[in-house]
Amino acid sequence: MPALAGEYALRGADSGGATRTLPTHLKYATLTPTVEEEEKKTPGQLIAELRGEVKLPLDLQRPKIIELLNIAEFTHQVASVVPLDDPIFQPTPPAVMFDSFEPLAEYTVELRLRNNDSVARRVKVLPPASAVFSVERRQTAAANTKIAPGMDVVFVVRFAPRDPVDYVCDLICVTEREKFVVPMRARGPRAILDFPDLVAFGTHPVRSTATEAVLVRNSGGRPSRVSVTVPPPFSVSPAHALLAVDEPVQFEFAFSPSACGRAEAEMRIEYETGEVCYAYMTGEATDVDVRLEASSVRAAHTYVTLRSQRTVRVVNRSGAPVSYRWKLYADARDERDDKLERLLHLASLEAAAEGGLLPASMDDPAAQRLF
């Protein structure tokens, strides 16, 4: 009979393609060997997550199998439709998480283990290694009762924190074929730094520096160091800071474009507790209306050993102050190419001097090219 809509199909690696369908109310997500790369969070999204305003779903990772057992020692049903790299029982949730807890209080979470095999199987959970965690089976039947195919067994995980710190422990589940791990994590208080999602510099003259000051406050429950990384043409000062609870720190962002056009970059913000978020920085550089009053200058006639002079005015018709200087070359590339040519020629003259072929005087055109 074909599977109905909403049914969950199980296929085993050694079952010859046989398919077993479960009723709609037992529908379960498929385990995947890998998890897609996590989406980059903005500071606003990270703040909402740390404050508990948004609960992100847990990634449905394949549980880690730490030991394979001889199934024949526990049952005569040695054939299984569950692939060997998947545990027979699938945990829900895949990781037990506790967040926003208070010391000396008690919290509980239900952990369900579903039998994904085609025959009844046993499962047990070993006591946690940490004293702040405990686990007990909900007594709906005897502790050694087998779990029917597609059915769940429920365990209650208790968490009794003593201090407002992070707790990490692994819960070891034992089936007739393997031992696998369900991670347990408790996240203590975190710093909450209110960085903006966007730092926009607008339009500024090219080869000038624009600055934006941003006041960041730690509204979380613990002090934290933070590292801010930005790529050129942007920069930040300070790049590292320590923010106590309710303490503000001013960060100064700078935009120093070397060419005309729009610039966009990601600012990486990393807390010392491992949280990372990304803000965006934008800016646009344009040429300003700065020109010479006259397009050419003609020097007046004068006598030998005397000199004549003319005044040249540089007019800034833009609304921004501009620094300038007179240069021999039109751009940095021409200057670099000419310097390289001079260095190469100087090296050839040094080689010629060692061979006794140096020009006899500075009147030699070869020597004059260096000056």
Side-chain angles (χ1 to χ4, degrees):
M1 182 179 67
L4 299 176
E7 292 185 344
Y8 175 58
L10 291 176
R11 289 182 173 83
D14 54 354
S15 61
T19 301
R20 176 174 62 85
T21 58
L22 300 179
T24 303
H25 68 281
L26 295 180
K27 182 178 180 182
Y28 203 68
T30 304
L31 284 172
T32 56
T34 58
V35 178
E36 295 181 359
E37 184 179 354
E38 184 179 1
E39 182 182 359
K40 292 182 178 179
K41 303 173 187 175
T42 64
Q45 291 173 334
L46 180 59
I47 290 174
E49 179 185 346
L50 293 177
R51 288 177 176 169
E53 300 171 1
V54 176
K55 295 294 185 181
L56 298 180
L58 291 173
D59 294 328
L60 191 59
Q61 289 180 286
R62 172 182 288 137
K64 180 181 179 181
I65 296 176
I66 59 175
E67 184 180 352
L68 292 176
L69 307 176
N70 185 2
I71 192 173
E73 295 180 359
F74 304 97
T75 179
H76 65 280
Q77 298 281 359
V78 296
S80 174
V81 298
V82 181
L84 193 61
D85 55 350
D86 288 348
I88 293 177
F89 283 80
Q90 184 174 1
T92 303
V96 178
M97 306 293 294
F98 295 93
D99 202 357
S100 302
F101 60 84
E102 295 291 337
L104 305 180
E106 185 176 278
Y107 304 87
T108 60
V109 169
E110 283 190 353
L111 174 65
R112 294 177 175 271
L113 301 178
R114 171 164 297 181
N115 182 5
N116 281 346
D117 210 346
S118 58
V119 297
R121 297 291 187 187
R122 295 186 180 91
V123 65
K124 66 177 180 179
V125 177
L126 300 183
S130 174
V132 299
F133 292 101
S134 62
V135 59
E136 62 181 11
R137 180 172 176 171
R138 179 170 291 175
Q139 294 297 331
T140 56
N144 61 348
T145 302
K146 291 185 176 182
I147 309 303
M151 299 301 292
D152 293 348
V153 57
V154 181
F155 292 86
V156 179
V157 179
R158 301 185 185 277
F159 173 54
R162 301 170 182 173
D163 300 297
V165 296
D166 293 354
Y167 293 93
V168 176
C169 184
D170 288 335
L171 199 62
I172 300 178
C173 304
V174 185
T175 71
E176 298 171 343
R177 193 181 66 178
E178 71 270 318
K179 294 182 180 179
F180 66 92
V181 169
V182 176
M184 295 190 297
R185 305 289 184 264
R187 186 170 63 182
R190 287 291 190 270
I192 300 177
L193 310 181
D194 53 357
F195 280 92
D197 292 348
L198 173 66
V199 179
F201 288 91
T203 303
H204 292 275
V206 67
R207 297 189 182 91
S208 65
T209 299
T211 59
E212 289 284 344
V214 176
L215 192 65
V216 177
R217 188 174 67 91
N218 181 5
S219 59
R222 60 170 291 174
S224 176
R225 296 185 182 274
V226 63
S227 298
V228 183
T229 306
V230 296
F234 302 98
S235 60
V236 60
S237 178
H240 307 277
L242 173 62
L243 286 84
V245 177
D246 291 329
E247 178 188 4
V249 171
Q250 179 171 297
F251 290 84
E252 186 172 279
F253 298 94
F255 174 47
S256 304
S258 59
C260 294
R262 182 174 177 83
E264 298 180 351
E266 281 186 342
M267 171 174 56
R268 188 175 191 270
I269 305 166
E270 182 175 1
Y271 294 30
E272 68 174 347
T273 48
E275 291 83 2
V276 177
C277 60
Y278 296 85
Y280 297 95
M281 308 183 73
T282 63
E284 187 170 358
T286 61
D287 280 327
V288 294
D289 189 6
V290 177
R291 64 184 66 184
L292 293 173
E293 188 178 45
S295 59
S296 63
V297 177
R298 182 179 180 85
H301 298 292
T302 187
Y303 296 98
V304 178
T305 72
L306 298 180
R307 66 179 181 181
S308 63
Q309 64 181 23
R310 286 288 187 269
T311 300
V312 177
R313 291 185 175 88
V314 179
V315 182
N316 179 9
R317 298 183 179 179
S318 69
V322 175
S323 300
Y324 74 95
R325 59 180 175 176
W326 299 98
K327 302 189 72 174
L328 181 62
Y329 305 94
D331 54 40
R333 180 177 179 180
D334 291 343
E335 182 178 4
R336 183 177 64 252
D337 292 344
D338 188 71
K339 286 183 177 180
L340 180 60
E341 182 182 355
R342 289 171 178 267
L343 289 174
L344 292 176
H345 189 67
L346 180 60
S348 65
L349 288 180
E350 291 177 349
E354 294 177 358
L357 301 177
L358 188 66
S361 70
M362 293 304 296
D363 294 334
D364 192 305
Q368 291 178 358
R369 290 187 60 189
L370 295 174
F371 303 95

